[in-house]
Amino acid sequence: MGAPTAYEKHDHRRCIKDALQAARQICKASGARLTSLREQVLMKVWQSHKPLGAYAILEQLAAEGQGHPAPPTVYRALDFLQEHGLVHRLSSLNAYIGCDLPGEPHDSQFLICRHCQTTVEMAAEPVSQALTSCAAARGFTIHHSSVEIVGSCPNCQAAV
């Protein structure tokens, strides 16, 4: 059995530990510098499976006594993490979520619960292939896709 999904109760500290380990490996292999702030931002993104915006990250850092970094500093950290395949930006929410497949180029589909905001990343190859096929039929070439699917997670469905 694999790792628990975001909808199952689990230890988020493990998610954070795994994300930091992957980030350190990826940055070491590419010669990139994983600064303390970048690590802290990555930890904030992975603290739950809910998308987090830059200003929410700023507020959390300040509340924890991490100083008051300027918004551009946090945005640069998020850009770095995104460029290295460690987080994804969810356009519809203007927020970020940790990447389940760090360092592996992939197209993703995100299941976003409209009630609790819990988000699960999928990298379903059949979905990517269907999008590529439909686009090709119209003469369009996809370079990257990110699909955001809004619905209700199992926990919120059970609560109704």
Side-chain angles (χ1 to χ4, degrees), residues 37-144:
L37 178 65
R38 290 170 178 167
E39 281 192 2
Q40 289 180 14
V41 169
L42 184 63
M43 290 169 62
K44 296 295 172 218
V45 170
W46 272 101
Q47 71 188 350
S48 72
H49 294 281
K50 297 178 183 185
L52 198 59
Y55 282 92
I57 293 170
L58 278 167
E59 289 173 10
Q60 289 181 17
L61 291 171
E64 293 175 0
Q66 303 295 325
H68 295 281
T73 306
V74 171
Y75 277 110
R76 281 193 297 272
L78 288 165
D79 287 345
F80 174 90
L81 296 171
Q82 190 174 6
E83 287 169 15
H84 287 83
L86 300 166
V87 300
H88 294 285
R89 182 175 179 276
L90 299 176
S91 298
S92 67
L93 302 174
N94 193 23
Y96 298 82
I97 192 81
C99 177
D100 286 344
L101 301 168
E104 297 179 31
H106 60 281
D107 292 329
S108 294
Q109 303 84 39
F110 299 94
L111 303 176
I112 305 168
C113 180
R114 69 182 183 138
H115 306 286
C116 71
Q117 297 295 301
T118 297
T119 301
V120 172
E121 177 182 2
M122 300 186 314
E125 190 59 32
V127 174
S128 295
Q129 289 173 353
L131 290 171
T132 299
S133 177
C134 289
R138 289 158 181 82
F140 188 84
T141 301
I142 297 175
H143 297 283
H144 174 75

